[in-house]
Amino acid sequence: MRYAATWRSRVTLGAPAALALLLLVVPLAALLLRADWARIPSDLATPSVLPALRLSLTTTSTTAALCLLLGTPLAWFLARSDSRATSWVRALLTVPLVLPPVVGGVALLLAWGRNGVLGQYLTPLGIQIPFTTVAVVLAETFVAMPYYVLAVEGAMRGLDPRLEQVARTLGAGDLRYLRTVGLPLVLPGIAGGLALAWARALGEFGATITFAGNFPGRTQTLPLLVYVELERDPQVAVSISILLLAVSVLVLGVLRGRWLR
């Protein structure tokens, strides 16, 4: 009787679990099955691919650096505070996770555009951000920063508070404690957050095309090139998609797995 009940429970839970897995795996498998593997080297040698790849690597690496430099202090303050204001800050931080990317692009345009909330003060100085490489970095940072901050905040909340108390008794301030004790202990969380942020920035499309445009050599990243090639030569789009898939799996599987194992 117990065996039958266990079998029914496993089937009841296993069927939707298998369906969920199929919904994720089948599209990726279709991408691999439909690819013309013999054409991939020549497709990736297309003159438009290398500039887009170089730009993608440059902007995503810059985005990861910004997340590290700006997001780590933010995660630290969020992890140390439980006030109502902190809850609102955390809620605002998660908005880009659920916001449609194109809406994020419109918001960035209204903030940094020629007549934007901040851009109107930059225009007289001759500084134009929209439709430049800087705009690509801002768009990628807008969508990737929450992934990093939330990952690092979770790691920092797991620190033993007694460690900080001991550091205080030894005369260490916030900065010294964070540098010598806190950060070394949350390095796996930082590495995991960076991997997520980097991969999210690499795949950014909606906010980038709205705020930065799609100009080859200046704002055209690999996802934007896939969009262009899908209408011009779908097989080239498939080859570039496989390249993006391989890079994403490499970053998440190797880097994040190494630190979180």
Side-chain angles (χ1 to χ4, degrees), residues 82-169:
D82 291 318
S83 66
R84 181 173 298 179
T86 302
S87 299
W88 280 105
V89 172
R90 190 179 295 108
L92 290 174
L93 183 67
T94 57
V95 168
L97 297 178
V98 297
L99 193 69
V102 67
V103 177
V106 172
L108 288 168
L109 197 58
L110 294 177
W112 297 100
R114 180 175 298 179
N115 298 317
V117 175
L118 300 175
Q120 61 181 327
Y121 301 107
L122 300 177
T123 301
L125 302 176
I127 301 175
Q128 181 179 344
I129 292 180
F131 310 111
T132 65
T133 304
V134 176
V136 178
V137 174
L138 287 177
E140 292 178 350
T141 303
F142 179 79
V143 299
M145 181 76 77
Y147 289 89
Y148 176 80
V149 173
L150 293 177
V152 177
E153 182 200 356
M156 288 181 171
R157 282 187 174 273
L159 290 175
D160 191 340
R162 292 175 295 180
L163 294 175
E164 185 174 358
Q165 295 173 3
V166 172
R168 295 288 188 188
T169 60

Side-chain angles (χ1 to χ4, degrees), residues 9-97:
S9 298
R10 291 182 176 178
V11 170
T12 303
L13 295 174
L19 180 59
L21 186 61
L22 286 175
L23 290 175
L24 298 175
V25 172
V26 169
L28 299 178
L31 180 64
L32 299 176
L33 292 173
R34 292 290 183 173
D36 187 347
W37 292 90
R39 277 192 53 179
I40 289 181
S42 60
D43 289 341
L44 296 182
T46 303
S48 57
V49 173
L50 184 58
L53 175 61
R54 186 186 301 113
L55 181 65
S56 291
L57 294 178
T58 301
T59 56
T60 51
S61 299
T62 304
T63 297
L66 288 175
C67 290
L68 179 65
L69 294 176
L70 304 179
T72 303
L74 177 57
W76 171 250
F77 283 113
L78 290 176
R80 287 166 55 88
S81 175
D82 291 318
S83 66
R84 181 173 298 179
T86 302
S87 299
W88 280 105
V89 172
R90 190 179 295 108
L92 290 174
L93 183 67
T94 57
V95 168
L97 297 178

